[in-house]
């Protein structure tokens, strides 16, 4: 399930948001990746600040819809390949888009990516969390363990 939104002015004209308030329905990165492919799409690759803003607006509209949406980060298609732990200096350059696109655009939260065992990326959506050093945990990116459920 999910909400499909289409636009005519972006390279990828349709986006589908899937948000599950029921924690038992949330999935890990690989499961989300496979679900997108089965649906004929791919996890989101963000290519510009304009596209980032578009997604933020879509999430704000979803929140305003009265659906009772609460804290819950969203998987995006950015991940780090390679074995085990990466050094902090090389780590940011090791992230790639799951769909093979090569956009250098990044929107990391302050002090992210933290690397280590966290190799898959979420877009923060924690409207009830107290702000951290980088401000509210809304829409910036964070690397997380790939088996976390989002």
């Amino acid at each position: 399930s999910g909400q499909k939104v289409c636009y005519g002015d972006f390279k990828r004209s349709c986006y589908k948001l899937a948000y599950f308030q029921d924690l038992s329905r949330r999935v890990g990165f690989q499961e989300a990746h496979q679900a997108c492919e089965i649906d004929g799409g791919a996890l989101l690759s963000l290519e510009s600040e304009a596209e980032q803003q578009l997604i933020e607006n879509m999430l704000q509209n979803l929140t305003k819809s009265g659906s009772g949406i609460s804290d819950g980060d969203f998987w995006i298609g950015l991940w780090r390949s390679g074995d085990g732990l990466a050094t902090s200096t090389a780590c940011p350059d090791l992230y790639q888009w799951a769909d093979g696109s090569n956009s250098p655009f990044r929107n990391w939260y302050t002090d992210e990516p933290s690397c280590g065992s966290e190799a898959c990326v979420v877009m923060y959506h924690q409207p009830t969390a107290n702000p951290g050093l980088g401000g509210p945990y809304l829409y910036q990116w964070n690397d997380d363990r790939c088996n976390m459920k989002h």
Side-chain angles (χ1 to χ4, degrees), residues 4-8 10-16 42 44 58:
K4 188 172 181 180
V5 181
C6 295
Y7 297 92
F10 278 84
K11 188 167 86 173
R12 289 178 296 275
S13 58
C14 291
Y15 299 85
K16 185 174 182 181
L44 179 64
M58 288 170 56

Side-chain angles (χ1 to χ4, degrees), residues 1-123:
S1 67
Q3 177 183 353
K4 188 172 181 180
V5 181
C6 295
Y7 297 92
D9 56 344
F10 278 84
K11 188 167 86 173
R12 289 178 296 275
S13 58
C14 291
Y15 299 85
K16 185 174 182 181
L17 296 176
Y19 173 78
F20 303 106
Q21 199 153 10
D22 179 357
L23 299 180
S24 69
R25 295 192 62 204
R26 295 182 184 182
V27 297
F29 182 85
Q30 262 325 106
E31 295 161 289
H33 179 66
Q34 290 169 345
C36 290
E37 286 186 335
I38 288 168
D39 206 23
L43 279 172
L44 179 64
S45 295
L46 290 137
E47 297 189 358
S48 67
E49 181 65 38
E51 190 172 23
Q52 171 76 30
Q53 188 61 54
L54 173 70
I55 300 303
E56 290 180 22
N57 291 342
M58 288 170 56
L59 291 173
Q60 289 166 2
N61 288 339
L62 184 67
T63 305
K64 288 180 203 165
S65 70
S67 64
I69 195 168
S70 57
D71 289 1
D73 299 335
F74 291 85
W75 288 118
I76 62 173
L78 193 64
W79 68 291
R80 177 171 44 87
S81 63
D83 300 322
L85 308 178
T87 64
S88 59
T89 54
C91 175
D93 297 330
L94 298 176
Y95 283 86
Q96 59 191 0
W97 294 107
D99 66 1
S101 62
N102 60 3
S103 169
F105 176 75
R106 300 292 186 265
N107 190 41
W108 295 112
Y109 190 79
T110 300
D111 295 334
E112 299 296 345
S114 53
C115 302
S117 61
E118 299 178 334
C120 296
V121 179
V122 295
M123 182 180 289

